[in-house]
Amino acid sequence: MTTLNAAEHAGTAGATPEDVVRDILAYIKAQSRGAYGYVAQEQFERLYYSARYIESRGRKSDAILDIGSHPYFVPAYLSLRGFENVLTVEIPRRDDYARSPSWKFRSITLDIEESRFPLPDDSLDLVVLFEVFEHLYRRPNQVFREICRILKPGGRVMISTPNGARLSSYARAVFRQQFGGSLHEASACFESSGIYTHLREYSLAELRDYLGHFDLVVEEVKFQSFRHLEYPYENALAKGFDLAFSWIKKRLTAIHIIQTNIFIVARCTKKPAA
């Protein structure tokens, strides 16, 4: 099959989701400074799953806000699949890059923990935080008060975050006497990029409790593990072990402590304005 570019796919009725994904990845690889490696090695399968989930549940006219969306895989995918009202919020980044003209979404640059979102009350159908929650340290309550304000009653929040109660977290606490990430690494990352790494990850019980303080009721939960697209394995044995373990985890999703990620959908239960 001849590969079309993203602009051609956007207007091609027969383009498959896989076609669109292939073109987005090719564009990110050609234009970005390091973002492709981030997607391919760590995020691709998770981002693709999340984008397809939104596509399967949402309406093309839904007002969607993607918080912390860099490197823009999800909004790019949604816009190329016909979603008409997608907005992204991202902090200023040194590793940003020019988006493709065919990606029809709007962007705001904003420190979400310090600033009010420039959006009216009750204006959004869906707010997305993929791999963002674990990076909030200074004022997470400010972020979720704003999310609750801009969501319509009955609107939803979609969150993907590491499973803080997974087996590897317990092993790290027992054998390395380390709870969460390295304070030094997190601080160094913030100094260089303005973004903290994971100092803290959360269990499902903690997430339910926290969201409940902001009129957000968890409706759906999935525990999942995702395989890397292009992970730089040290040798064939390491690659074989990881792929085998990933295959096992995907078939044992009921065993939550071996799954690396929690995927949550929560509904906004605030009352409509009088």
Side-chain angles (χ1 to χ4, degrees), residues 34-182:
Y36 174 76
Y38 172 78
V39 172
Q41 294 179 17
E42 299 184 24
Q43 301 286 339
F44 169 73
E45 195 171 15
R46 177 165 51 243
L47 291 172
Y48 184 40
Y49 172 86
S50 303
R52 291 298 304 274
Y53 185 93
I54 295 172
E55 184 180 24
S56 69
R57 300 295 185 91
R59 299 164 298 184
K60 298 293 175 72
S61 60
D62 280 350
I64 300 171
L65 174 65
D66 186 1
I67 296 176
S69 58
H70 187 272
Y72 311 110
F73 178 92
V74 171
Y77 178 88
L78 293 176
S79 70
L80 292 174
R81 295 292 290 169
F83 282 76
E84 304 164 356
N85 193 5
V86 179
L87 175 68
T88 71
V89 171
E90 185 59 75
I91 65 170
R93 300 181 64 114
R94 297 186 182 94
D95 58 349
D96 208 356
Y97 63 94
R99 266 77 81 193
S100 168
S102 64
W103 298 355
K104 305 299 184 184
F105 61 84
R106 296 174 295 131
S107 297
I108 298 172
T109 301
L110 185 75
D111 185 337
I112 62 172
E113 292 192 84
E114 297 295 337
S115 304
R116 181 181 172 90
F117 291 5
L119 296 167
D121 297 355
D122 304 339
S123 59
L124 297 177
D125 299 289
L126 175 66
V127 175
V128 175
L129 299 97
F130 293 147
E131 312 308 302
V132 172
F133 193 91
E134 65 276 11
H135 295 277
L136 301 176
Y137 291 108
R138 289 167 292 149
R139 301 179 65 195
N141 288 2
Q142 156 72 13
V143 175
F144 277 88
R145 277 193 294 266
E146 280 293 279
I147 287 173
C148 187
R149 178 183 68 81
I150 60 181
L151 268 178
K152 298 175 182 177
R156 285 168 171 77
V157 176
M158 197 174 291
I159 297 172
S160 171
T161 190
N163 175 17
R166 64 189 183 276
L167 195 58
S168 59
S169 297
Y170 291 115
R172 181 173 56 194
V174 171
F175 295 107
R176 295 178 58 185
Q177 295 295 296
Q178 180 177 324
F179 300 88
S182 161

Side-chain angles (χ1 to χ4, degrees), residues 127 129 133 136 140-141 143-145 147-148 151 156-161 202-221 262-269:
V127 175
L129 299 97
F133 193 91
L136 301 176
N141 288 2
V143 175
F144 277 88
R145 277 193 294 266
I147 287 173
C148 187
L151 268 178
R156 285 168 171 77
V157 176
M158 197 174 291
I159 297 172
S160 171
T161 190
Y202 302 88
S203 69
L204 175 59
E206 290 175 305
L207 292 167
R208 282 188 189 275
D209 176 73
Y210 185 80
L211 295 174
H213 290 284
F214 303 96
D215 296 322
L216 295 169
V217 175
V218 174
E219 288 189 323
E220 185 173 346
V221 176
I262 306 174
F263 186 84
I264 288 174
V265 179
R267 179 171 52 87
C268 179
T269 60

Side-chain angles (χ1 to χ4, degrees), residues 192-209:
S192 65
S193 68
I195 303 171
Y196 281 111
T197 55
H198 305 186
L199 263 182
R200 180 77 159 81
E201 295 174 354
Y202 302 88
S203 69
L204 175 59
E206 290 175 305
L207 292 167
R208 282 188 189 275
D209 176 73

